[in-house]
Amino acid sequence: MATATADRQQIQQRLDDARARTDEIFALLEPEALYERPIPERHRLIFYLGHVEAFDWNLIPRGALGAPPFDADFDRLFAFGIDPVGGGLPNEPASQWPARERVLEYNARLRRALDDAVSGADLEKLDGGSRFEVAIEHRLMHAETLAYLVHQLPHTMKRRPAGAENSGDVSPAVIRHVGIPAGRATLGRSRARGFGWDNEFDELAVEVPAFAIDSHPVTNRGWLEFLDAGGYRERRFWSEADWAWRTGHGIEHPLLWARDGGGWHYRGMFDDVPLPLEHPVYVSHAEASAFAHWANRALPTEAQFHRAAYGTPQGVEREFPWGDEPPAPIRGNFDFARWDPVPVSAHPAGASAFGVHDLLGNGWEWTSTAFAPLPGFTPFPFYRGYSADFFDGKHFVIKGGSARTAACMLRRSFRNWFQPHYPYLYAKFRLVGA
Ligand code: AVJ
Ligand code: FE
């Protein structure tokens, strides 16, 4: 009984912390910015303001405890986000969305009602607490996806929090090809190990043949070489679909690069700075694949990423690249540490047993693996489409995490995915092959 109360208090605390993370993002915005649509494939920002609350209500009080709708119209309006495949972009006018004040009021009342409803509830009814984990991690994922949406707004629409300066450059990292001997990589998660999303189950051991992988991800400096070699102009480096995307959208450089008289700049969250050459380059899967063709190498598979990150010369596998200790700031640029990347060599204490750096944090890493279920996949009965809607061969697995990824989602089994022509997320890459 006492433990149940302690568990619930701890869960309430984690929910409150997650709420503070989404509140923090909205607090950056000038009020009118809420009606902007910074990314054509996503909703206007006002949607997300209501979404993280409506989702929680639909999932917990309404979905598990028999509560009525909180506000039937808003509960439905804010229920689900979008990820259109192959066109079909939203184009409704901003005036179609409710006023900011009404959404803020819905949110404040909903949070109070939700906290009341769950305070006396039986954890059994909440699928042993899984629904809380889903609510908390769903919100934390939105704290990250909101960050890259807000990243696209002009600097004049946001207020810079204290301590958000961009990090300066350091001496160039020496990028080596690290040889990884053949061995086992354990993907996924066993059901005995506690909460994971549907796509993390079951555990799957894969024998990975020997391969070589870069010690660090590709930097802005490395990308300049590709660009200067005509990387965006040479048809032969690109697959047919990727070339159509590149030419159709007139893409000639990474999304966050801007040319400005004197040279290249990086468009940071709050300001523009001369291109930081030692930072990882953030690019789409299509651009990363073209770079790999140019270099005569390849993107790692999901299993190769695991092997390089969690394998050891002794054969045991570890929980994190650096060992089994939980994530801490010296290990990498994650858990909301910053708003922008840092040099790829900034966290030697985060290197894997094989000496591979910057694997967790500082940008997710693209793999060549299409997002698909592991054997034993079962959708959550209360959220059937979370992963299953995206097993379409049109999304690729990303691993690792960014500066805006919460520590709880740095677990080894966590899998994330995006379309290859979606350049907005904080994603870097590294190459494998001789
Ligand atoms: C798992 C990050 C790809 O943002 O589309 C949020 C997470 N799903 N609400 C996304 C998600 C539903 C999802 N990703
Ligand atoms: Fe969502």
Side-chain angles (χ1 to χ4, degrees), residues 47-48 51-52 55 79-81 138 142 383:
F47 164 81
Y48 298 95
H51 172 59
V52 284
F55 181 90
F80 293 108
H138 171 261
H142 276 293
Y383 192 2

Side-chain angles (χ1 to χ4, degrees), residues 56-342:
D56 290 358
W57 186 267
N58 291 335
L59 178 70
I60 297 178
R62 178 125 169 86
L65 303 175
F70 188 71
D71 170 323
D73 291 343
F74 275 21
D75 293 357
R76 201 173 325 106
L77 179 64
F78 293 117
F80 293 108
I82 47 168
D83 179 15
V85 167
L89 298 180
N91 65 355
E92 87 295 339
S95 58
Q96 210 166 295
W97 291 93
R100 170 176 176 269
E101 291 67 31
R102 283 188 58 210
V103 181
L104 289 175
E105 197 203 289
Y106 167 81
N107 289 356
R109 286 195 303 117
L110 186 154
R111 281 187 189 181
R112 281 196 299 272
L114 185 142
D115 294 350
D116 277 355
V118 301
S119 70
D122 182 354
L123 269 188
E124 285 300 294
K125 285 205 180 133
L126 297 166
D127 298 82
S130 281
R131 288 190 195 233
F132 270 116
E133 303 290 346
V134 164
I136 290 164
E137 292 200 2
H138 171 261
R139 182 181 288 270
L140 289 168
M141 278 186 236
H142 276 293
E144 173 165 5
T145 58
L146 273 161
Y148 68 68
L149 278 154
V150 165
H151 202 119
Q152 295 302 319
L153 291 175
H155 300 317
T156 52
M157 286 192 186
K158 38 192 157 164
R159 286 177 280 246
R160 171 207 295 272
E165 288 72 35
N166 256 292
S167 80
D169 253 335
V170 295
S171 49
V174 180
I175 302 187
R176 296 169 295 114
H177 291 195
V178 177
I180 310 287
R184 196 181 56 212
T186 305
L187 276 53
R189 191 170 185 82
S190 103
R191 303 225 179 239
R193 294 214 47 202
F195 178 74
W197 289 85
D198 54 2
N199 64 65
E200 294 173 55
F201 299 107
D202 285 340
E203 202 170 83
L204 176 67
V206 181
E207 290 304 323
V208 184
F211 64 104
I213 190 165
D214 286 346
S215 58
H216 298 79
V218 174
T219 61
N220 286 323
R221 178 192 303 282
W223 194 264
L224 271 176
E225 271 181 58
F226 170 69
L227 192 131
D228 291 343
Y232 284 91
R233 293 193 305 270
E234 287 279 356
R235 167 69 185 84
R236 67 199 157 95
F237 301 144
W238 301 73
S239 74
E240 199 172 320
D242 291 353
W243 183 254
W245 170 75
R246 194 203 74 66
T247 53
H249 291 79
I251 288 155
E252 295 178 343
H253 55 77
L255 179 75
L256 295 179
W257 288 25
R259 215 191 313 254
D260 161 21
W264 290 106
H265 281 236
Y266 166 72
R267 294 195 291 121
M269 182 63 144
F270 300 105
D271 52 9
D272 288 11
V273 294
L275 192 67
L277 296 175
E278 299 313 316
H279 289 193
V281 65
Y282 286 168
V283 288
S284 64
H285 186 273
E287 290 165 293
S289 302
F291 185 103
H293 276 128
W294 167 71
N296 254 307
R297 301 178 69 210
L299 293 176
T301 62
E302 184 179 10
Q304 286 174 326
F305 181 96
H306 270 256
R307 176 89 184 117
Y310 306 108
T312 62
Q314 298 74 29
V316 290
E317 294 174 85
R318 315 201 294 196
E319 291 302 314
F320 298 99
W322 55 82
D324 294 329
E325 306 84 48
I330 56 157
R331 308 293 190 179
N333 180 21
F334 45 59
D335 202 26
F336 308 102
R338 311 184 68 85
W339 295 94
D340 285 298
V342 296

